[in-house]
Amino acid sequence: MNNQNFHMSPEEFRKQGKLMIDWIADYYENIEKYPVLSQVQPGDIKTNLPQSAPTESEPMEQIMADVNTILMPGITHWQSPNFFAYFPANASGPSILGDLLSSGLGVQGMLWATSPACTELETRVLDWLAEILQLPEKFKSTSTGGAVIQDTASSAALSAVLAARERKTNFKTNDSGNPGNLVAYVSSQTHSSVEKAVKIAGIGKDNLRQIGVNENLAMRADLLEEAIKNDLQTGLIPFFVCATVGSTSTNAIDPLNEIGQICEKYQLWMHIDAAMSGTAAICPEYRHILNGVELADSFSFNPHKWMFTNFDCNCFFIADRSVLIKTLSILPEYLKNQATESGAVIDYRDWHIQLGRRFRSLKLWFVIRHYGVNGLRYHIQEHIRIAQQFAEWVRTSAEFDLVAPAPLNLVCFAHQKGNDFNKKLLETINGTGKMYFTHSVINGKYVLRMCIGQTNTKEEHVSDAWKTIQKTANELIISE
Ligand SMILES: *Cc1c(COP(=O)(O)O)cnc(C)c1O
């Protein structure tokens, strides 16, 4: 029992908080001892949890004991250096502490007035990022645009689709509903979140065109233009294109310049989804992946994937903030205040779907200040270096092939023995718990993906992984 009114006293919080920090530090020290992919079966965790909530207060010690015994077996360890699946969601000490401080302050930053620091730190840190990424001036708050931290790239894509829709229809769709003839364009490799955004925005999946890709799995600009022309001819209204920098499946990079020129010619909104790979552009030698971003209307990337910032943290940059604000702004009586009415402040609740918002810029600010831009660059360069090393091992191996270009930190590869074998190989390796890979299918080919970006992944983890992959493949062949 705590004290009489059941709240946790500051004394107790101090004690438990220190134990929690110790718990987390121990976790990171021992993280490689856990199976990376949780090995439980569906329902295993729930069976061990009581059907009903406790009527009486339970001590923290007991809650943490249940974390250890009941929950930990059901954790897939995204922060393990042997996590090579999907994409990273890399965390770091400064980020965890920033997030903790955000929880401690408990601020809800929907308006400038509800915590000026929450708004102004965010604006400043995002302008820093615009500079680090060498984004054009228009994406800065000091120009026509600006940026906002959203939860995910999915929400950013939805915001972009909505702003594009309103710009195209002179802000009439918000009033009278969807005209039904707007058309959006993605490639066959675009992340599914854009299809979801198009559905939510009322555009309709039938009005979403999937443009074909070239041999590098990048969108073909000639096919995009052809599709736009076809739609115009039948009286439809093309309004939105999503270009991807670093597709989820294979890290393909769409030709931003060509797509941007087409968008300019036909007056479509160009959104760039650089969820994971955008981070690479903080390194001068990889900045070229964003060449053409000056033609975009919006751009987003996730520091919560590859920039050491705990989930969730998406940075959404927009060239003309007035369009976004006009699209999403609402001002009921109970939110009216002097600062808003003066027009001198940013109210970020007008920059995304939801009203309330966490103080997410704190963790990003902690991360950027802790590492410094040079520290961030060092780790990104290292991740890319060891990914390229892995790609080289695959390229020179007699049994495995590279299945797509590996421009950055993601390597798609397959054993020559075909789809069933590769599937079995993946399942066998993941079943050991030593490391975790996921797959993709490229032109009918089942491929394994080696995605390198966890904070503590080093060359030794990747070379161990390569040894395990080769050894497991040989064992499978012998046992056949
Ligand atoms: C991961 C990913 C997304 C989705 O990210 P969320 O932030 O989880 O919505 C979108 N696009 C690309 C290219 C991705 O890799």
Side-chain angles (χ1 to χ4, degrees), residues 86-88 150-157 189-194 242-249 252 273-277 300-302 304-305 311-314 449:
Y86 307 103
F87 36 75
Q150 301 211 359
D151 52 4
T152 58
S154 305
S155 297
Q189 302 298 309
T190 304
H191 191 267
S192 54
S193 56
V194 183
C242 178
T244 303
V245 172
S247 66
T248 313
S249 194
D273 175 8
M276 174 178 72
S277 304
S300 101
F301 87 111
N302 286 344
H304 73 226
K305 273 186 173 161
F311 192 85
D312 51 359
C313 184
N314 165 273
R449 297 166 68 265

Side-chain angles (χ1 to χ4, degrees), residues 85-330:
Y86 307 103
F87 36 75
N90 65 14
S92 67
S95 173
I96 296 168
L97 294 174
D99 219 14
L100 180 60
L101 181 56
S102 168
S103 293
L105 292 171
V107 157
Q108 206 278 49
M110 58 186 176
L111 305 171
W112 177 87
T114 60
S115 263
C118 178
T119 294
E120 295 191 15
L121 180 67
E122 185 160 329
T123 307
R124 180 61 84 207
V125 168
L126 291 167
D127 279 343
W128 284 358
L129 276 176
E131 198 173 285
I132 300 166
L133 292 165
Q134 297 179 53
L135 296 182
E137 280 300 308
K138 66 178 181 180
F139 287 118
K140 291 187 183 160
S141 70
T142 45
S143 175
T144 53
V148 60
I149 300 180
Q150 301 211 359
D151 52 4
T152 58
S154 305
S155 297
L158 176 57
S159 306
V161 169
L162 293 171
R165 185 192 73 185
E166 290 311 302
R167 188 176 75 177
K168 194 52 146 187
T169 58
N170 289 320
F171 300 90
K172 297 267 172 22
T173 306
N174 263 349
D175 293 332
S176 19
N178 221 296
N181 54 1
L182 296 170
V183 187
Y185 305 82
V186 296
S187 90
S188 58
Q189 302 298 309
T190 304
H191 191 267
S192 54
S193 56
V194 183
E195 177 185 322
K196 203 188 230 181
V198 161
K199 288 176 181 166
I200 296 170
I203 306 303
K205 200 182 158 196
D206 291 347
N207 288 336
L208 178 67
R209 306 278 178 264
Q210 271 200 3
I211 306 301
V213 293
N214 66 16
E215 68 283 4
N216 292 334
L217 301 155
M219 188 191 287
R220 274 182 53 185
D222 59 323
L223 295 181
L224 171 65
E225 183 161 21
E226 202 177 296
I228 292 173
K229 279 185 182 163
N230 276 342
D231 286 323
L232 284 169
Q233 257 164 25
T234 54
L236 298 173
I237 305 177
F239 82 109
F240 176 87
V241 179
C242 178
T244 303
V245 172
S247 66
T248 313
S249 194
T250 67
N251 231 335
I253 298 172
D254 289 338
L256 303 185
N257 263 312
E258 289 172 64
I259 293 171
Q261 280 160 22
I262 292 167
C263 287
E264 222 166 47
K265 185 166 162 193
Y266 297 95
Q267 307 211 326
L268 275 70
W269 184 288
M270 171 153 89
H271 174 64
I272 297 177
D273 175 8
M276 174 178 72
S277 304
T279 300
I282 69 172
C283 306
E285 67 271 42
Y286 303 117
R287 169 58 178 73
H288 61 84
I289 62 174
L290 295 187
N291 285 351
V293 65
E294 56 283 358
L295 296 168
D297 294 289
S298 54
F299 163 84
S300 101
F301 87 111
N302 286 344
H304 73 226
K305 273 186 173 161
W306 196 17
M307 217 176 82
F308 315 104
T309 308
N310 286 53
F311 192 85
D312 51 359
C313 184
N314 165 273
C315 298
F316 177 57
F317 293 83
I318 184 137
D320 181 354
R321 63 179 173 268
S322 71
V323 177
L324 182 67
I325 293 169
K326 211 168 154 191
T327 299
L328 298 177
S329 159
I330 32 94

Side-chain angles (χ1 to χ4, degrees), residues 13 37 40 71 75 101 108 113 129 138 142 144 162 185 197 230 233 290 319 337 368 400 409 419 463 476:
F13 179 79
L37 171 65
V40 300
L71 297 191
I75 297 294
L101 181 56
Q108 206 278 49
L129 276 176
K138 66 178 181 180
T142 45
T144 53
L162 293 171
Y185 305 82
N230 276 342
Q233 257 164 25
L290 295 187
N337 69 89
I368 297 173
F400 289 88
N409 62 328
N419 287 1
S463 64
L476 282 178

Side-chain angles (χ1 to χ4, degrees), residues 75-96:
I75 297 294
T76 288
H77 301 278
W78 283 73
Q79 304 313 321
S80 163
N82 298 309
F83 182 99
F84 306 115
Y86 307 103
F87 36 75
N90 65 14
S92 67
S95 173
I96 296 168

